[in-house]
């Protein structure tokens, strides 16, 4: 990390600004923790006098955005195998979670944070229903490497739980919404089937008036689709078993996306996580609402719920982000791996679109696109220097998405600090 104030010229074989075509032999100029120019290296060298750092045979890109993770589930790596059904996996998750203690969780989060950084994540939207990640992010004596947001996740299947939530919102921790190293605190709802309609509206409104993004797992499994249509099936069984079934539950009788839309929850500050099961009308609703979709393809494959509708979403212009979900459904928290899986699954989806989702799309989804997501004037000097060995002479986007994750690329993350 560079800390003193100085004009710097970072030069490399490739600069990938995102939003603009890659620049062969490009460079970026930084000062005071911000980018002040991005252009061909020759032009930069002739116009600026400063410390020149020539990264040589490397690719400079924005830091990646992981728009959906659950760091507090880090100790569950390899402990929650697929069971062939979504609810079966949830049951295994609940059991595995009960066996984990605080110290194990702290150690596992430390490993997960190192892995996220190694794989290029600089901006993170993490979700959890304990305070452990927020405590770490806000601790004075711990270096927290991410900007982004922590979503305190609410599970409130009955109104009783909702009253508990209101009490929680009255406590200073949540109310103050203090940024922890640019790591904001927001609320998220677990899913359309596990939070009452009143609580869903309340959470969304609270985030909206605090100018924060809102996140919810939605349209993840066929069990969810069936439950919202009929009020029955394995999800109802699970809720009843856990003693949460509300006697006055009104069956939505529609799809998860249309249900959220009816409740007024979908807008440009909402992140719909998963979106595996969408029909044409759902896609239309998403387009009209300007909501973002966060794709977690490796998690979906692990649980066995299907694959997200990435090509349709992109074709229709829906803003896409990418997340890893947690070790309970993924063997690595790597946005590079998620990109490679998306590219391999559907050749119609361009690698440019995929890389955009991993950077600008994610930054937009969590409301930080004025600071992150691209390399351009005014944005934070936070970027990756990737040295994979053999560099392409063309098609750098394909190379970034398809090859760099296979090649054990050497990646450095550079975050320059400044006054702002
Ligand atoms: Zn999740």
């Amino acid at each position: 990390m560079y800390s003193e104030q100085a004009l710097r010229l970072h030069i490399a074989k490739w600069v990938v600004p995102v939003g603009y075509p890659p620049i062969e032999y490009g460079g970026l100029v930084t000062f005071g923790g911000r980018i002040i120019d991005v252009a061909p290296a020759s032009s930069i060298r002739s116009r600026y006098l400063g410390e020149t750092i020539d990264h040589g045979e490397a690719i400079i890109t924005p830091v990646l955005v992981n728009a959906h993770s659950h760091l507090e589930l880090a100790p569950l790596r390899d402990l929650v195998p697929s069971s062939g059904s979504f609810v079966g996996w949830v049951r295994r998750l609940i059991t595995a979670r009960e066996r984990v203690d605080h110290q194990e969780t702290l150690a596992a989060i430390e490993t997960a944070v190192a892995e996220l950084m190694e794989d290029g994540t600089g901006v993170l939207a993490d979700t959890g229903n304990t305070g452990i990640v927020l405590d770490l992010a806000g601790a004075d004596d711990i270096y927290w490497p991410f900007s982004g947001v922590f979503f305190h996740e609410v599970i409130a299947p009955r109104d009783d739980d909702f009253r508990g939530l209101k009490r929680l919102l009255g406590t200073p921790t949540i109310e103050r919404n203090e940024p922890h190293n640019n790591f904001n605190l927001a609320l998220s709802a677990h899913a359309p089937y596990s939070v009452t309609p009143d609580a869903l509206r309340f959470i969304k409104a609270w985030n909206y008036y605090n100018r924060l993004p809102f996140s919810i797992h939605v349209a993840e499994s066929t069990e969810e689709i069936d439950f919202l249509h009929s009020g029955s099936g394995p999800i109802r069984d699970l809720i009843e078993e856990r003693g949460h079934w509300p006697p006055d539950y009104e069956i939505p009788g529609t799809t998860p996306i249309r249900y959220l839309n009816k409740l007024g929850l979908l807008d440009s500050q909402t992140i719909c996580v998963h979106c595996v099961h969408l029909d044409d009308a759902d896609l239309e609703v998403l387009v009209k609402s300007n909501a973002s979709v966060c794709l977690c393809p490796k998690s979906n494959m692990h649980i066995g719920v299907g694959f997200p509708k990435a090509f349709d979403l992109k074709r229709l212009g829906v803003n896409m982000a990418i997340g890893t979900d947690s070790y309970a459904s993924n063997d690595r928290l790597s946005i590079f791996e998620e990109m490679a899986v998306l590219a391999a699954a559907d050749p119609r989806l361009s690698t440019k679109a995929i890389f955009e989702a991993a950077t600008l799309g994610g930054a937009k989804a969590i409301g930080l696109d004025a600071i992150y997501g691209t390399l351009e004037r005014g944005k934070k000097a936070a970027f990756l220097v990737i040295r994979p060995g053999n560099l392409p002479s063309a098609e750098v986007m394909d190379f970034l998405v398809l090859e760099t994750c296979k090649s054990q690329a050497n990646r450095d993350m550079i975050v320059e600090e400044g006054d702002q």
Side-chain angles (χ1 to χ4, degrees):
M1 183 183 293
Y2 302 84
S3 58
E4 76 272 32
Q5 298 284 311
L7 191 77
R8 288 195 191 86
L9 285 59
H10 291 274
I11 307 290
K13 166 80 191 289
W14 284 106
V15 172
V16 175
V18 178
Y20 303 91
I23 308 167
E24 193 166 7
Y25 296 106
L28 48 111
V29 184
T30 62
F31 182 77
R34 297 278 163 171
I35 295 168
I36 61 170
D37 206 353
V38 182
S42 55
S43 149
I44 277 178
R45 285 186 196 270
S46 67
R47 286 185 291 131
Y48 297 93
L49 199 59
E51 181 189 350
T52 300
I53 301 151
D54 192 338
H55 298 281
E57 294 287 300
I59 311 171
I60 297 182
T61 76
V63 293
L64 304 184
V65 181
N66 186 339
H68 185 71
S69 65
H70 301 258
L71 282 177
E72 69 185 25
L73 301 183
L76 302 183
R77 192 174 209 159
D78 301 327
L79 294 181
V80 194
S82 173
S83 79
S85 83
F86 174 71
V87 171
W89 174 84
V90 172
R91 288 177 188 280
R92 289 180 173 186
L93 172 66
I94 293 168
T95 309
R97 229 184 146 175
E98 282 163 0
R99 298 195 189 118
V100 172
D101 71 26
H102 188 70
Q103 281 311 318
E104 266 179 279
T105 305
L106 285 175
I109 290 176
E110 202 177 311
T111 308
V113 165
E115 189 174 292
L116 283 163
M117 288 178 72
E118 194 183 308
D119 279 4
T121 295
V123 181
L124 182 70
D126 193 59
T127 307
N129 37 43
T130 72
I132 192 164
V133 169
L134 201 60
D135 287 348
L136 290 172
D140 290 337
D141 55 342
I142 295 172
Y143 173 63
W144 183 253
F146 310 115
S147 285
V149 59
F150 176 75
F151 287 111
H152 177 92
E153 181 182 74
V154 175
I155 302 177
R158 294 174 311 172
D159 280 340
D160 295 0
D161 307 300
F162 175 42
R163 281 191 281 278
L165 164 68
K166 278 188 157 172
R167 275 198 300 278
L168 179 71
L169 289 172
T171 65
T173 328
I174 300 266
E175 215 169 46
R176 284 204 311 258
N177 185 34
E178 282 184 354
H180 298 280
N181 302 340
N182 296 316
F183 204 62
N184 290 308
L185 175 60
L187 294 172
S188 66
H190 172 255
Y193 55 84
S194 55
V195 183
T196 66
D198 282 349
L200 284 168
R201 277 191 289 247
F202 185 92
I203 295 164
K204 173 63 190 175
W206 190 87
N207 282 11
Y208 182 84
Y209 287 111
N210 284 289
R211 297 182 183 184
L212 292 162
F214 164 74
S215 173
I216 182 165
H217 299 103
V218 61
E220 183 175 4
S221 66
T222 49
E223 289 101 312
E224 177 184 342
I225 304 290
D226 293 347
F227 175 77
L228 260 73
H229 268 298
S230 66
S232 60
I235 287 185
R236 175 161 181 168
D237 296 344
L238 182 67
I239 296 173
E240 279 188 351
E241 265 169 52
R242 297 187 68 79
H244 293 317
W245 184 255
D248 57 347
Y249 185 76
E250 265 183 52
I251 297 160
T254 182
T255 67
I257 290 291
R258 296 210 278 286
Y259 174 55
L260 297 189
N261 192 45
K262 199 173 129 201
L263 294 176
L265 267 53
L266 300 182
D267 62 27
S268 61
Q269 292 176 64
T270 292
I271 310 167
C272 297
V273 179
H274 294 308
C275 287
V276 173
H277 299 280
L278 305 174
D279 62 20
D280 287 347
D282 291 334
L283 285 164
E284 205 173 300
V285 166
L286 283 168
V287 172
K288 280 194 185 144
S289 70
N290 285 319
S292 292
V293 170
C294 179
L295 313 169
C296 304
K298 283 187 66 198
S299 169
N300 300 147
M301 286 162 74
H302 174 92
I303 298 172
V305 291
F307 205 81
K309 299 226 164 199
F311 176 72
D312 288 328
L313 291 162
K314 177 66 196 171
R315 178 176 56 86
L316 294 167
V318 175
N319 183 53
M320 290 195 301
I322 303 178
T324 56
D325 228 341
S326 78
Y327 286 141
S329 57
N330 207 334
D331 58 352
R332 191 164 175 94
L333 306 184
S334 169
I335 294 296
F336 277 106
E337 286 195 2
E338 304 293 331
M339 285 193 276
V341 164
L342 282 168
D346 193 342
R348 296 172 304 170
L349 196 61
S350 74
T351 47
K352 176 176 164 287
I354 293 170
F355 200 73
E356 206 168 285
T359 49
L360 182 58
K364 263 189 198 164
I366 60 178
L368 291 179
D369 52 313
I371 312 171
Y372 293 98
T374 63
L375 302 176
E376 58 187 312
R377 185 183 173 86
K379 293 211 179 174
K380 176 90 180 154
F383 51 94
L384 301 181
V385 179
I386 304 168
R387 296 181 199 85
N390 296 317
L391 278 179
S393 55
E395 307 298 344
V396 69
M397 299 312 298
D398 289 353
F399 188 81
L400 266 174
V401 170
L402 296 167
E403 296 303 324
T404 54
C405 71
K406 291 186 206 158
S407 66
Q408 296 298 314
N410 165 359
R411 306 183 186 108
D412 283 336
M413 191 184 302
I414 295 180
V415 180
E416 295 186 354
E417 298 300 330
D419 294 334
Q420 300 98 328

